[in-house]
């Protein structure tokens, strides 16, 4: 094949990808850039308007929860700088689960800054044995690859990052190794309890997906439901989203900008339980739709 023919073939493939439903996920990601902002005290938002990334200033290095979508690493680095921090100070990245849209910056941070990468043990196993379930192939970027975690998180682990102690709970469903995190955040002498849930999407609960994963009886759906119940009653005053839709990140940010001297819209002790209940009820509706079975 000539160089010209190869070029035209690749451009045709690229346009086909962009015309598909998920094509917009990889196209013009810069349009989703969000100027970073402080959520509360030592917790900052450095994600885009679709995929959440949170930065915690631990007093002894920076901690990220997730590393963004593949192809969006430059935006993440820019957001960290714009927030007033140095990306080289990111000592740890906790990955909520092993899907392509949450692991994009992992290898860059590890190779560039020596950042330690954390992932649950079940999703680390998925990377080794069923890498296609990460959907890394959907990125269409030849430089995007899975990473080898430095630490594999186990259910019930309590790990310390600088001045921040995090308790981890496995909440399988969206992947086998989704994790929930619970930790205290500080604003001066004031303390709030933050909660993070590692993946709510139903896309992996469709019948076709479950059969591909080796679950023809759809047992994963009940596992998902049980995971919601397991952490439903945790004390959470600040709900950190996995995707912005989970806690209306952008809507709360708008309120924050409109009334900077008013109550912090991210401090809400009701939204955690309410949203988990919504997902439980939505799953029941999802299961009744023949298109999902």
């Amino acid at each position: 094949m000539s160089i010209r023919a190869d070029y035209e073939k690749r451009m045709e493939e690229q346009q086909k990808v962009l015309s598909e439903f998920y094509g917009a996920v990889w196209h013009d990601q810069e349009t989703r850039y969000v100027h970073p902002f402080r959520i509360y005290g030592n917790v900052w938002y450095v994600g885009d308007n679709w995929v959440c990334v949170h930065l915690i200033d631990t007093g002894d290095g920076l901690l990220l929860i997730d590393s963004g979508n593949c192809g969006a690493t430059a935006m993440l680095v820019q957001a960290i700088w714009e927030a007033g921090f140095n990306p080289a100070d990111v000592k740890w990245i906790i990955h909520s689960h092993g899907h392509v849209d949450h692991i994009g910056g992992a290898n860059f941070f590890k190779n560039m800054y020596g950042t330690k990468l954390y992932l649950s043990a079940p999703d680390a196993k998925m990377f080794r044995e069923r890498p296609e379930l990460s959907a890394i192939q959907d990125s269409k970027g030849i430089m995007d690859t899975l990473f080898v975690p430095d630490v594999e998180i186990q259910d019930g682990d309590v790990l310390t990052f600088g001045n921040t102690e995090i308790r981890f709970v496995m909440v399988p469903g969206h992947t086998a190794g989704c994790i929930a995190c619970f930790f205290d955040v500080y604003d001066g002498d004031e303390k709030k309890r933050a909660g993070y849930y590692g993946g709510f999407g139903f896309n992996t609960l469709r019948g076709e997906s479950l059969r591909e994963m080796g679950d023809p009886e759809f047992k994963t759906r009940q596992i998902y439901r049980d995971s919601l119940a397991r952490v439903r009653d945790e004390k959470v005053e600040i709900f950190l989203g996995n995707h912005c839709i989970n806690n209306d990140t952008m809507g709360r940010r708008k309120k924050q900008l409109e009334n900077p001297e008013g109550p912090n819209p991210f401090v809400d002790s009701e939204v955690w339980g309410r949203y988990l209940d919504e997902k439980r009820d939505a799953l029941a509706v999802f299961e009744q739709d023949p298109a999902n079975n």
Side-chain angles (χ1 to χ4, degrees):
M1 182 181 291
S2 70
I3 295 175
R4 177 70 180 189
D6 183 58
Y7 166 80
E8 291 177 347
K9 181 174 182 295
R10 288 177 182 272
M11 292 303 98
E12 181 181 350
E13 291 173 349
Q14 183 184 74
Q15 290 305 310
K16 181 176 182 295
V17 168
L18 294 178
S19 68
E20 294 171 351
F21 178 77
Y22 285 108
V25 170
W26 314 110
H27 185 59
D28 293 339
Q29 293 198 55
E30 295 80 5
T31 63
R32 297 201 296 267
Y33 184 75
V34 170
H35 295 290
F37 59 91
R38 189 195 304 268
I39 288 179
Y40 177 92
N42 61 326
V43 179
W44 290 73
Y45 189 79
V46 291
D48 60 34
N49 68 8
W50 178 55
V51 182
C52 296
V53 182
H54 296 90
L55 179 151
I56 303 167
D57 183 359
T58 74
D60 184 28
L62 304 177
L63 167 67
L64 294 183
I65 301 180
D66 280 342
S67 58
N69 196 25
C70 280
T73 301
M75 292 200 303
L76 176 56
V77 170
Q78 169 62 21
I80 294 171
W81 277 119
E82 190 177 336
F85 299 101
N86 187 338
D89 293 331
V90 176
K91 293 178 68 172
W92 317 275
I93 302 178
I94 296 167
H95 288 93
S96 62
H97 65 284
H99 278 161
V100 62
D101 50 331
H102 297 274
I103 64 172
N107 280 317
F108 173 82
F109 275 83
K110 183 172 186 176
N111 295 337
M112 190 74 178
Y113 307 124
T115 303
K116 285 190 175 182
L117 305 179
Y118 291 67
L119 182 69
S120 71
D123 278 7
K125 181 180 180 182
M126 176 183 73
F127 278 11
R128 293 190 298 269
E129 299 179 3
R130 296 290 306 274
E132 73 280 5
L133 298 183
S134 71
I136 188 68
Q137 64 275 11
D138 288 348
S139 76
K140 309 303 179 185
I142 62 172
M143 301 303 292
D144 292 328
T145 59
L146 299 179
F147 63 88
V148 177
D150 297 288
V151 177
E152 295 187 11
I153 298 170
Q154 306 287 341
D155 185 37
D157 277 354
V158 178
L159 303 177
T160 300
F161 307 87
N163 62 11
T164 301
E165 182 181 89
I166 301 182
R167 178 169 64 89
F168 296 94
V169 180
M170 292 293 168
V171 286
H174 184 56
T175 70
C178 279
I179 57 173
C181 311
F182 303 97
F183 53 98
D184 292 333
V185 295
Y186 298 88
D187 188 3
D189 294 332
E190 189 177 64
K191 178 178 73 173
K192 299 293 182 185
R193 190 69 169 168
Y196 183 94
Y197 196 102
F200 289 106
F202 292 166
N203 55 311
T204 56
L205 300 181
R206 296 191 180 102
E208 182 181 5
S209 297
L210 292 176
R211 285 187 286 270
E212 174 67 20
M213 289 188 288
D215 179 18
E217 297 178 355
F218 303 167
K219 293 179 180 178
T220 303
R221 293 177 180 176
Q222 185 59 46
I223 291 171
Y224 180 110
R225 189 177 288 108
D226 292 343
S227 292
L228 294 174
R230 187 180 187 197
V231 296
R232 162 61 176 80
D233 295 326
E234 289 279 347
K235 178 183 178 181
V236 174
E237 297 165 293
I238 299 176
F239 176 18
L240 303 176
N242 183 251
H243 282 271
C244 293
I245 193 174
N246 303 152
N247 66 342
D248 188 21
T249 307
M250 295 299 103
R252 291 175 190 272
R253 173 54 175 163
K254 182 179 179 182
K255 292 179 181 178
Q256 196 179 47
L257 289 170
E258 290 173 345
N259 189 14
E261 302 303 321
N264 187 331
F266 287 96
V267 179
D268 182 343
S269 60
E270 302 297 324
V271 65
W272 172 270
R274 185 169 64 243
Y275 189 73
L276 268 61
D277 288 346
E278 288 175 7
K279 297 305 293 186
R280 176 202 62 202
D281 296 342
L283 179 58
V285 175
F286 175 90
E287 290 176 303
Q288 296 303 313
D289 186 344
N292 297 322
N293 296 312

